[in-house]
């Protein structure tokens, strides 16, 4: 759905898939494996403003909690309620049904500060 | 993870080969998970799982006064019937809990105590200190003993293939059974709320047991399990984790284990203080909480009744078999009755919860 090869990645393991000024965001396959067994996700509400690099969602596994940092800034225009009801979707399909929310980008140039897939792959090896 | 100061069990290489994610657990390099905590938890509830619990301690107590001695250092009435084990707390003179342990009667003058990993050496020193005047020999077998737990409804079928006589054991029973040219202690005990066995023996014997379990386990749905699943399973089952849920500042009464104290049995270490502290009454008691809405509680979360803080959680997790958050904490008397509406503070949010006594689900033991 949001092919990882066409996503851009933050050092903190979130991805952004940009299309016409809107970015869908989620966590990388590497991150879902590291966190493992996700049992709870708290998402921002539609209409909320998020800021690049600032925490805006919480991911909880059986063992620990992790913050989700916005990979780009802007207004949240849609959230994926399916992962709130079934957090395992994030483990099963982090670039598919396990997406987090969509941001109407206020600073599209921020995308340039994120890594391409190949570059990101090198950082997690 | 390559910290040379960490201790490894004889099964360490097997754990790594099986895909274990190794972490530092009280100075031991142990697997926290293999395939994943949820899958391992489910396997133990529906089929079976195997855990390396070699970090736990084993103390052999023998001699003409062995039974009299274990009665003195434990607060419960200890079975002197060969083949039977008894859960009890080892208390300080002030009634505080030094450890919780199961002590098995192997014969009229022979007992085996299974103690916690972090407390094994201290327990042994404590036993030595109090053994003066008793005709007993104490042997700390922890270093030379490895131990596996096989837990789950399919555990009897699987363990029975290796140790046929194990099937006749009652809960808390023990037998010394031959395997791979050695003798293993096979106990019908566990820390999961499911039927199952714990097997303790010399490392070579346990390595052979592990190999055989893996070879035969597939048909029974056996999966290797880590400490993560061990914790979610034991918390759902309402079992105490020493160090987190109880320590030397708490008495068995506060730890909700008054059933394991037998004041009538005669003198034992801590008895006088327990009577005094019981008469004075307790301000807090270990009480379970179950969240009524979404959220994952953690140790340290505050528990509120109305706008008043009445305690905090000492163990808490998402409960895979219940699909909700659960925890235990020392709470004020107003919350002791099961079903009391309270709230748990998680990341600054207040999540409604209710109190629970004992197990969070019916144990299948």
């Amino acid at each position: 759905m949001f092919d990882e090869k066409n996503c851009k990645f933050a050092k903190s393991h979130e991805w952004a898939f940009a299309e016409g000024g809107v970015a869908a965001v989620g966590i990388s396959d590497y991150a879902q494996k590291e966190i493992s067994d996700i049992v709870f996700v708290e998402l921002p509400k539609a209409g909320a403003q998020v800021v690049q690099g600032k925490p805006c969602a919480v991911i909880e596994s059986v063992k620990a909690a992790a913050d989700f940092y916005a990979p780009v800034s802007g207004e949240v225009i849609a959230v994926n309620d399916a992962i709130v009801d079934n957090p395992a979707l994030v483990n099963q399909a982090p670039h598919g049904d396990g997406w987090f929310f969509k941001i109407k980008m206020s600073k599209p140039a921020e995308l340039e500060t994120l890594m391409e897939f190949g570059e990101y792959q090198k950082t997690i090896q | 993870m390559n910290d040379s100061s960490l201790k490894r069990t004889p099964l360490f290489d097997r754990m790594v080969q099986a895909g274990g994610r190794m972490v530092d657990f009280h100075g031991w390099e142990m697997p926290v998970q293999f395939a994943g905590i949820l899958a391992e938890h489910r396997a133990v509830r529906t089929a079976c799982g195997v855990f390396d619990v070699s970090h736990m301690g084993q103390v052999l107590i023998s001699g003409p006064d062995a039974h009299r001695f274990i009665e003195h250092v434990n607060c419960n009435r200890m079975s002197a019937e060969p083949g039977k084990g008894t859960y009890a707390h080892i208390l300080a003179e002030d009634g505080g809990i030094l450890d919780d342990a199961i002590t098995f009667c192997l014969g009229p003058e022979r007992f085996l105590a299974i103690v916690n990993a972090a407390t094994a050496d201290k327990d042994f020193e404590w036993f030595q200190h109090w053994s003066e005047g008793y005709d007993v020999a104490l042997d700390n077998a922890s270093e030379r003993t490895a131990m596996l737990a096989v837990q789950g409804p399919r555990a009897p079928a699987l363990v029975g293939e290796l140790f046929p006589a194990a099937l006749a054991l009652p809960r808390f029973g023990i037998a010394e059974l031959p395997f791979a040219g050695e003798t293993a202690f096979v106990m019908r005990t566990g820390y999961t709320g499911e039927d199952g066995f714990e097997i303790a023996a010399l490392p070579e014997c346990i390595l052979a047991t592990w190999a055989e379990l893996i070879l035969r386990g597939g048909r029974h749905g056996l999966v290797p399990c880590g400490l993560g699943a061990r914790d979610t399973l034991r918390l759902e089952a309402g079992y105490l984790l020493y160090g987190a849920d109880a320590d030397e500042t708490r008495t068995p009464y506060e730890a909700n284990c008054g059933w394991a104290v037998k004041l009538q049995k005669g003198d034992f270490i801590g008895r006088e203080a327990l009577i005094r502290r019981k008469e004075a009454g307790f301000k807090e008691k270990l009480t379970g909480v179950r969240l009524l809405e979404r959220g994952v509680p953690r140790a340290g979360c505050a528990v509120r009744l109305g706008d008043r803080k009445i305690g905090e959680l000492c163990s808490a997790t998402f409960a895979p078999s219940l699909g909700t958050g659960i925890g235990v904490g020392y709470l004020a008397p107003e919350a002791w009755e099961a079903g009391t509406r309270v709230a748990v503070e998680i990341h600054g949010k207040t999540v409604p919860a209710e109190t629970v006594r004992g197990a969070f689900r019916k144990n299948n033991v």
Side-chain angles (χ1 to χ4, degrees), chain B residues 59-326:
Chain B
V59 179
L60 288 156
I61 302 139
S62 57
D65 291 340
H67 184 250
R68 211 162 58 82
F69 176 72
I70 65 156
E71 285 282 25
H72 190 55
V73 296
N74 284 282
C75 65
N76 205 347
R77 195 185 299 280
M78 309 303 286
S79 179
E81 185 184 330
K84 287 262 171 71
T86 311
Y87 174 87
H89 290 180
I90 299 162
L91 304 181
E93 289 168 280
D94 70 355
I97 305 168
L98 296 177
D99 201 0
D100 66 340
I102 300 175
T103 303
F104 295 91
C105 180
L106 300 168
E109 297 186 359
R110 278 176 75 226
F111 292 84
L112 169 68
I114 307 286
V115 301
N116 281 298
T119 44
D121 290 340
K122 265 175 28 193
D123 290 345
F124 187 69
E125 283 169 29
W126 183 254
F127 288 172
Q128 280 183 315
H129 173 73
W130 287 96
S131 67
E132 209 186 301
Y134 287 89
D135 189 359
V136 288
L138 299 170
D139 175 12
N140 188 350
S142 308
E143 289 283 327
R144 64 171 193 270
T145 306
M147 190 159 141
L148 287 171
V150 186
Q151 300 282 301
R154 299 291 297 274
L158 173 58
V159 172
E161 291 184 23
L162 281 66
F163 300 94
L167 293 174
L169 288 174
R171 187 74 182 159
F172 282 96
I174 188 169
E176 292 172 86
L177 302 176
F179 191 78
E182 299 285 348
T183 300
F185 296 113
V186 181
M187 300 155 273
R188 198 151 200 169
T189 47
Y191 198 44
T192 59
E194 300 297 330
D195 194 1
F197 300 86
E198 291 175 300
I199 305 161
L202 293 173
E204 311 83 73
C205 182
I206 290 299
L207 284 166
T209 306
W210 168 267
E212 201 65 20
L213 287 170
I214 295 302
L215 192 69
R216 295 167 178 266
R219 286 190 300 118
H220 299 284
L222 182 79
V223 302
C225 297
L227 295 171
R230 188 167 161 81
D231 195 51
T232 54
L233 289 159
R234 73 89 192 169
L235 200 50
E236 284 185 348
Y239 294 154
L240 201 68
L241 172 61
Y242 188 78
D245 307 339
D247 58 27
E248 66 279 0
T249 68
R250 303 289 183 179
T251 61
Y253 297 114
E254 291 159 286
N256 216 10
C257 292
W259 59 270
V261 178
K262 299 292 187 297
L263 294 173
Q264 324 85 298
K265 77 169 184 171
D267 194 34
F268 59 87
I269 301 166
R271 182 174 180 272
E272 296 299 315
L274 272 190
I275 292 169
R276 235 180 18 248
R277 288 170 77 166
K278 194 182 180 190
E279 274 169 7
F282 298 106
K283 292 190 176 72
E284 293 180 324
K285 194 150 89 180
L286 194 68
T287 306
V289 297
R290 171 172 40 217
L291 298 194
L292 299 171
E293 289 176 15
R294 279 197 186 109
V296 184
R298 307 286 179 194
C301 284
V303 180
R304 298 191 164 274
L305 184 73
D307 52 8
R308 203 164 71 81
K309 182 179 169 184
I310 54 161
E312 57 186 54
L313 300 179
C314 41
S315 288
T317 186
F318 174 80
S321 298
L322 305 172
T324 188
I326 60 169

Side-chain angles (χ1 to χ4, degrees), chain A residues 48-60:
Chain A
Q49 295 290 330
V50 297
V51 179
Q52 187 182 39
K54 300 281 186 214
C56 61
V58 177
I59 306 155
E60 303 247 14

